[in-house]
């Protein structure tokens, strides 16, 4: 059987998904509604449309339609870099000496370097369709900003990116890619917004955070006619767009009769994990199949494993809707020693609810062990992975080694969200032996959790 | 017809080439023999085996076998990143409004970022098979060094890379990728070799050159037991390995009945151009088909269009075999304002001979026009191209625009050798408007051509 499975499975173009899958439709207990920060009541479509494009706002609130058509213009763009291959990690299996079969869904074969493009193009499309001039956003590791720049360039939209300051400094070349695609890039916190000036005056030496960059981007959108804010993770609309990852992976698995036992994804805001697992979760929810799902977090930023499940602000500036999620508190800032992405304080409402229902497991892994796994993977499987993706690699290797001990021939599927070509500063730290691990103390975490808003 | 052609053509694994194609076997007039610099006589296999691995030396001298089996271990490695897609540039065609059909063979979907890996893995394989400890090499833009690091890591060989100084400084992250794969990287010229020290004392402010880095790498190999020198371009063995590009492209064309009229490749040392065109040239030589072949050079380093066809040293240190080629002279150093690769002083003997026979055309393009084409391509087709590859893009766009004028529906195939993710320093110059063009004067070129060795 396995002899007929190619090393890389590329679906044919006519096998590509034509609809996104909305896992909320199949959840009996839905995620809690998002609330208006001004009055604590569920956000209406009209209220949400002030921040987001109207059709994206509708997708955000849609809990009933399991399938949503992908517009033809978006499918056209997907064809540029999709299908993404489902790769059998033969070489890694051999090197580990494991009886497990390891597959990874590789989303890095595009210039943004990650899966982020799947949602960026959708959000740019709806913005263009609504006749907007442009969009604003934040970027942490830089993948989302790059993806959005590419998408905006395609639809000729203005693109303003607030880039978390430490990333801006560590990744000057990410900035250049965005500029090459015509985007405006500002390090955050900046003097260009009120919230940025406020944060700078309180914390002049801050490295920035995603929450803070989000606040600046929202302010820049709400304050300008013809602009809306777009976000690359956390939101349910983003998980919807990212379901293309899981749908393709599932189609490839079905085609070759591959039955994953364990599905692993790195988890920051939850966009990749949610997108990868959604269609499989749908089958699990309907009792058609069973899988173990594992979310992998950095030990320095652990919303699922050490956070609390409560309503919180999505942004440091407290202007976005409130969302019930596993969170470390919107004022949580990961240590400067944390090198990769996955630095968001909270987790997607969908992923949070599924985790709370016991349908997803979560583990946290330390940074140096992640880069060790990354380097090992690069040398064995060829591709130099993004630090974020390498969290999933680390967990997949750990599971494969458990199989080696027990002799079980499990099938492991993990999401390789992207490449690390713009993360060489972090690799350099690892190569030089100057990279450190950092686990926040309970006190540090409680300090930001204590600031959660009070919602009855 | 064209409706059935997918946007990206991926061959199936069993359609991948199992043999390389050696175009010299089908050339009536062969390239001139390589000569021993010590006595001016044709190099024997034994002499050549002091510098290169024996099997590679044999390939270098092989002018008779049209097909050479690709060893299974190399095919295994090729499977990690091949097949490389043949992409129809639908979006570019539409944006140009041309009746021409444009295809590109994309070799950038691997961590080395270019086609260089095709030969790196072959050279590492033969070195391992011969029981060597390691290999030495030079790298200019960094793609070859990265590719060789990956290949050596796969076969557990020591890898010493001399990196042209200006690239080393402009591309610190390239260096880190090589280190991640376990390579040793030294900026060239360096104090670690005799020739490096000599050049530094004569030209203390030099930016380095490929010829000089080659000399250092050769010295480092010849002086160490268990080491050999490997080279990423120019050599006939490299063109042999790179024929996998053309063979795949031809198989994909044949499968979908695509008949290229014009085949375009960027040309530095000739490895990509030679590899891409070889099998098509074979058909042309046998009268089975006809094509226009266009080599595209940077205006700042024009061995074909402004060089002379003569025996020359392959390296500044004059220790490599002498090769008859189109050359600017081994002491030619491209201007520091030249940003990308394609900075070698000479051209592959095979490409040179084909050019001399009138079977290949050559054009030169200026740097800013190349980056203009690169940025345009990135925004339209998604992928951010390497500066080297963008020379071919520029020429392909020019040919497509000619078709627009004449109304001809020509089919254009070009080689997209790689991605520009490690070339953002150059893109930044372009984005900032600080990039300049430089065309050497006749006097400058004559100065280095005057130093050509005298061979009767």
């Amino acid at each position: 059987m396995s002899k007929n499975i190619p090393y890389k499975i590329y679906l044919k173009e006519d096998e590509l998904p034509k609809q996104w899958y909305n896992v909320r439709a199949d959840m009996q207990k839905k995620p809690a509604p998002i609330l208006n920060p001004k009055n604590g009541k569920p956000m209406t479509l009209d209220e949400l449309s002030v921040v987001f494009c109207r059709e994206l706002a509708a997708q955000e609130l849609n809990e009933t339609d399991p399938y949503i058509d992908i517009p033809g213009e978006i499918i056209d763009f997907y064809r540029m870099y999709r299908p993404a291959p489902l790769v059998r990690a033969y070489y890694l299996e051999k090197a580990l000496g494991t009886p497990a079969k390891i597959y990874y869904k590789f989303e890095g074969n595009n210039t943004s370097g990650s899966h982020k493009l799947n949602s960026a193009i959708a959000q740019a499309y709806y913005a263009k369709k609504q006749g907007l001039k442009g969009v604003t956003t934040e970027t942490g590791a830089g993948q989302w900003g790059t993806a959005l720049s590419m998408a905006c360039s395609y639809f000729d939209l203005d693109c303003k990116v607030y880039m978390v300051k430490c990333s801006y400094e560590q990744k000057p070349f990410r900035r250049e890619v965005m500029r090459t695609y015509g985007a405006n890039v500002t390090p955050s916190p900046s003097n260009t917004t009120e919230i940025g000036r406020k944060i700078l005056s309180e914390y002049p030496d801050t490295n920035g955070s995603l929450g803070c960059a989000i606040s600046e981007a929202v302010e820049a959108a709400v304050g300008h006619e013809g602009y809306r804010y777009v976000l690359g993770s956390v939101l349910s609309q983003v998980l919807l767009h990212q379901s293309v990852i899981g749908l393709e992976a599932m189609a490839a698995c079905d085609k070759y009769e591959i039955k994953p036992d364990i599905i692993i994804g790195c988890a920051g805001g939850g966009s990749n994990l949610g997108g990868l697992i959604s269609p499989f979760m749908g089958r699990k929810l309907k009792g058609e199949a069973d899988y173990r799902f594992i979310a992998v977090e950095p030990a320095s930023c652990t919303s699922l494993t050490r956070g609390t499940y409560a309503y919180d602000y999505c942004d440091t500036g407290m202007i976005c809707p409130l969302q019930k999620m596993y969170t470390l508190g919107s004022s949580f800032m990961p240590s400067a020693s944390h090198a990769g992405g996955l630095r968001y304080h909270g987790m997607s409402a969908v992923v949070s609810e599924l985790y709370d229902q016991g349908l997803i497991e979560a583990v946290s892994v330390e940074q140096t062990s992640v880069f060790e796994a990354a380097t090992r993977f690069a040398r064995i499987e060829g591709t130099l992975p993004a630090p974020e993706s390498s969290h999933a690699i680390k967990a997949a290797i750990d599971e494969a080694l458990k199989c080696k001990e027990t002799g079980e021939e499990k099938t492991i599927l993990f999401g390789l969200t992207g490449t690390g070509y713009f993360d060489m500063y972090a690799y350099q730290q690892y190569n030089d032996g100057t990279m450190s691990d950092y686990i926040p103390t309970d006190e540090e975490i409680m300090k930001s959790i204590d600031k959660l808003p009070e919602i009855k």
Side-chain angles (χ1 to χ4, degrees), chain A:
Chain A
M1 170 61 216
S2 78
K3 271 187 190 162
N4 301 320
I5 301 181
Y7 177 74
K8 291 188 294 292
I9 303 174
Y10 284 103
L11 292 178
K12 290 183 196 155
E13 281 182 12
D14 57 12
E15 295 170 329
L16 296 186
K18 290 172 188 62
Q19 298 182 308
W20 291 305
Y21 172 66
N22 181 11
V23 69
R24 288 170 293 169
D26 289 316
M27 289 169 70
Q28 283 212 319
K29 181 162 177 254
K30 313 282 184 196
I34 50 176
L35 304 182
N36 190 327
K38 288 179 194 145
N39 58 19
K41 288 190 181 152
M43 285 291 256
T44 64
L45 179 59
D46 283 342
E47 288 169 340
L48 208 52
S49 301
V50 177
V51 183
F52 302 124
C53 301
R54 197 160 180 96
E55 238 170 300
L56 291 167
Q59 289 178 358
E60 194 64 31
L61 298 173
N62 188 333
E63 294 186 333
T64 49
D65 297 328
Y67 289 98
I68 292 174
D69 286 344
I70 308 176
E73 290 89 336
I74 297 175
I75 289 181
D76 274 351
F77 189 88
Y78 279 170
R79 285 200 312 161
M80 277 203 211
Y81 68 100
R82 308 199 70 81
L86 179 69
V87 187
R88 173 82 179 265
Y90 282 114
Y91 305 91
L92 181 61
E93 289 171 17
K94 200 175 153 193
L96 297 174
T98 177
K101 295 180 184 71
I102 308 175
Y103 291 87
Y104 59 90
K105 179 70 176 166
F106 182 41
E107 291 286 325
N109 273 351
N110 68 74
T111 289
S112 80
S114 84
H115 67 294
K116 296 281 182 181
L117 200 51
N118 301 329
S119 184
I121 192 64
Q123 298 192 47
Y125 166 77
Y126 291 115
K128 186 71 181 181
K129 202 179 158 199
Q130 192 171 320
L132 297 179
K133 284 184 214 155
V135 291
T136 69
T137 199
E138 81 300 330
T139 197
Q143 285 136 345
W144 168 246
T146 313
L148 192 68
S149 313
M150 292 172 69
C152 286
S153 157
Y154 185 75
F155 284 123
D156 199 20
L157 281 167
D158 187 34
C159 180
K160 290 188 202 303
V161 180
Y162 288 86
M163 187 170 186
V164 177
K165 197 172 152 201
C166 63
S167 287
Y168 185 90
E169 285 164 3
Q170 285 175 13
K171 302 183 177 186
F173 295 155
R174 270 270 182 225
R175 181 193 67 215
E176 284 312 316
V177 178
M178 294 186 244
R179 283 183 72 204
T180 299
Y181 284 91
N184 241 296
V185 190
T186 308
S188 168
S190 76
N191 281 317
T192 67
T193 65
E194 218 170 284
I195 180 72
R197 288 187 290 270
K198 183 164 171 282
I199 291 172
L200 277 176
S201 72
E202 278 177 50
Y203 309 96
D205 297 327
T206 179
N207 294 298
S209 72
L210 261 190
C212 158
I214 292 174
S215 298
E216 291 204 83
V218 172
E219 188 182 321
V222 173
H224 291 84
E225 181 72 27
Y227 281 79
R228 288 294 184 285
Y229 167 68
V230 296
L231 176 60
S233 190
V234 185
L235 300 173
S236 299
Q237 62 189 265
V238 175
L239 263 71
L240 175 73
H241 307 147
Q242 293 296 357
S243 69
V244 72
I245 305 171
L247 290 164
E248 268 188 19
M250 199 160 77
C253 284
D254 288 353
K255 186 172 176 179
Y256 289 94
E257 296 178 39
I258 299 160
K259 295 183 197 310
D261 298 296
I262 307 172
I263 302 178
I264 299 170
C266 60
S271 74
N272 155 68
L273 177 78
L276 174 66
I277 71 172
S278 276
F280 295 98
M281 182 62 79
R283 285 192 177 166
K284 180 167 173 153
L285 291 169
K286 288 180 267 182
E288 296 169 2
D290 197 18
Y291 311 95
R292 270 181 70 201
F293 298 104
I294 305 177
V296 193
E297 308 188 303
S300 56
C301 192
T302 50
S303 53
L304 288 176
T305 51
R306 296 179 72 198
T308 188
Y309 193 33
Y311 270 103
D312 194 7
Y313 297 100
C314 292
D315 62 321
T316 314
M318 305 175 188
I319 39 185
C320 273
L322 290 161
Q323 181 163 291
K324 189 176 178 193
M325 56 184 176
Y326 275 86
T327 179
L328 296 167
S330 65
S331 62
F332 181 82
M333 295 219 190
S335 154
S337 68
H338 173 79
L342 309 179
R343 50 176 69 240
Y344 189 65
H345 65 276
M347 180 59 64
S348 140
V350 175
V351 170
S352 291
E353 180 56 34
L354 291 168
Y355 178 67
D356 200 57
Q357 292 179 27
L359 292 162
I360 298 177
E361 302 165 37
V363 296
S364 74
V365 289
E366 291 186 50
Q367 163 157 287
T368 50
S369 74
V370 167
F371 276 83
E372 190 192 358
T375 302
R376 193 173 184 179
F377 183 84
R379 293 184 182 192
I380 295 169
E381 284 285 324
T383 299
L384 187 116
E388 299 77 35
S389 325
S390 305
H391 289 73
I393 295 173
K394 163 70 178 148
I397 289 176
D398 288 348
E399 290 295 328
L401 291 176
K402 283 184 207 161
C403 289
K404 187 178 180 177
E405 276 179 34
T406 61
E408 288 173 287
E409 289 185 32
K410 286 188 180 162
T411 297
I412 300 167
L413 165 63
F414 72 89
L416 190 71
T417 56
T419 50
Y421 309 151
F422 291 93
D423 300 286
M424 297 319 298
Y425 184 89
Y427 273 96
Q428 182 173 356
Q429 289 181 306
Y430 178 74
N431 291 337
D432 289 344
T434 58
M435 175 173 278
S436 61
D437 288 317
Y438 182 78
I439 301 180
T441 62
D442 289 341
E443 290 68 35
E444 280 175 275
I445 288 179
M446 282 316 297
K447 218 172 116 187
S448 52
I449 284 183
D450 277 347
K451 292 184 195 154
L452 286 177
E454 278 186 38
I455 305 286
K456 45 264 124 202

